[in-house]
Amino acid sequence: MSGLVVLKIGGSVITDKSKPFTYREETVKRIGTEVFRCWPTSLIIIHGGGSFGHPIAKQYEISKGYKELRQLEGFVKTMQAMRELNSLVVKSLVDAGIGAVGMPASLLFVTRNGVIETALLDTLFAALDLGVIPVTCGDVVFDREKKFTVLSGDNIAVYLARRLRAKRLVFAIDVDGVYEISRETGDKKLLEELDRRKHSTLLYQEADDVTGGLFNKVDEAFNAVNDGIEVLIVNGLVEGRVEAAVKGKPVKGTKLVK
Ligand code: IP8
């Protein structure tokens, strides 16, 4: 699908991560209007877990897989929280005038040791074919080894971009891109371009996310870069950046390069 763009919107953009279950409706509606202006670009949207999915998944240690009975409660509660967040995101996008269809990832993917092994993508393909936007999310999923795990929206975004041969993969996060932080002075410099070698030398802030934060996102995204997909990381909290990135126009952010 040569014209396809995959857009991952971070949980820190769509929720306030400092307060459980705090949805940023106005932000998602504003991103929705930007996405609306990208029509007729073929698009898949994936969003993160933010203050809906991560606190519960962390509390019940869902990423470790099934160890004890009490985790089942955490598994279903995390799934419930992500369904709720997915519905809220889809509603805001529809309010912005977009034909958006929610598809929680727990129904699309089965993993083995956290890696996607089965992807049931018929409904996603049908939606794309119809010209409506599939909206999936990081989620708890069934896992063939661990019984269950957490599948990050970042991994889903890279998987779909590679499998569907997208032309561009855009990550909307809550800062301007990837920064180089000086070990001596602590000064921060936004990297307009980042290659894998440099990535392995950078200091990344310790992630509070159960799925590994910015390091995991960038590390995983280099697999898409290797496949020739353009990968951009932009600030989703700043008006206009998502639109420019999806359209392939010049934009402040970090481009991953070989
Ligand atoms: O925020 C994680 O997705 P991410 C989803 O994209 C859950 O890493 C359930 C915590």
Side-chain angles (χ1 to χ4, degrees):
M1 287 188 130
S2 55
L4 179 73
V5 178
V6 174
L7 170 63
K8 161 76 198 295
I9 311 174
S12 52
V13 173
I14 62 170
T15 72
D16 178 347
K17 284 181 103 169
S18 66
K19 296 184 208 115
F21 290 90
T22 317
Y23 176 59
R24 288 193 176 134
E25 186 178 0
E26 288 316 309
T27 303
V28 183
K29 276 193 185 159
R30 192 255 308 146
I31 291 176
T33 59
E34 293 188 34
V35 167
F36 183 79
R37 292 198 288 265
C38 295
W39 190 85
T41 304
S42 176
L43 205 68
I44 298 174
I45 295 178
I46 301 112
H47 64 79
S51 62
F52 282 65
H54 284 278
I56 316 172
K58 190 174 182 177
Q59 185 192 343
Y60 288 90
E61 300 184 304
I62 301 301
S63 304
K64 288 188 176 164
Y66 187 25
K67 306 275 182 219
E68 51 179 346
L69 197 60
R70 72 167 195 109
Q71 286 177 296
L72 289 183
E73 182 181 68
F75 174 68
V76 293
K77 278 187 175 171
T78 312
M79 190 183 291
Q80 196 63 44
M82 289 313 301
R83 294 263 167 105
E84 193 182 330
L85 182 58
N86 187 251
S87 295
L88 289 169
V89 170
V90 169
K91 182 174 183 320
S92 300
L93 295 176
V94 171
D95 287 350
I98 294 170
V101 187
M103 300 185 181
S106 49
L107 303 178
L108 299 179
F109 300 104
V110 179
T111 56
R112 183 178 295 276
N113 272 326
V115 178
I116 295 172
E117 192 172 71
T118 303
L120 305 157
L121 299 180
D122 283 8
T123 49
L124 186 139
F125 289 140
L128 287 175
D129 198 41
L130 196 62
V132 294
I133 298 180
V135 183
T136 187
C137 55
D139 207 347
V140 284
V141 291
F142 294 100
D143 186 284
R144 294 204 171 95
E145 287 289 329
K146 299 157 76 175
K147 301 288 182 207
F148 54 66
T149 192
V150 177
L151 180 60
S152 169
D154 297 329
N155 293 55
I156 297 171
V158 171
Y159 176 90
L160 290 175
R162 297 179 77 192
R163 169 121 185 236
L164 277 66
R165 297 182 199 285
K167 75 168 168 194
R168 189 170 300 121
L169 169 57
V170 177
F171 290 95
I173 63 174
D174 63 342
V175 291
D176 285 347
V178 182
Y179 288 86
E180 179 166 26
I181 304 169
S182 161
R183 284 181 163 79
E184 287 84 48
T185 61
D187 287 350
K188 288 166 74 178
K189 187 178 109 209
L190 180 69
L191 296 168
E192 288 180 9
E193 288 198 344
L194 174 62
D195 62 28
R196 197 163 223 159
R197 194 197 52 79
K198 178 116 189 157
H199 157 65
S200 63
T201 69
L202 292 179
L203 284 173
Y204 284 92
Q205 251 175 2
E206 185 108 347
D208 198 30
D209 280 9
V210 293
T211 44
L214 187 58
F215 176 84
N216 174 62
K217 191 187 305 286
V218 175
D219 207 57
E220 187 66 24
F222 274 111
N223 295 321
V225 175
N226 280 344
D227 285 4
I229 299 165
E230 188 184 348
V231 180
L232 296 164
I233 302 172
V234 297
N235 194 336
L237 294 174
V238 178
E239 186 157 5
R241 304 247 173 108
V242 167
E243 181 179 353
V246 169
K247 287 179 171 170
K249 297 209 164 136
V251 62
K252 184 171 187 170
T254 301
K255 181 176 178 173
L256 303 190
V257 293
K258 275 194 185 164

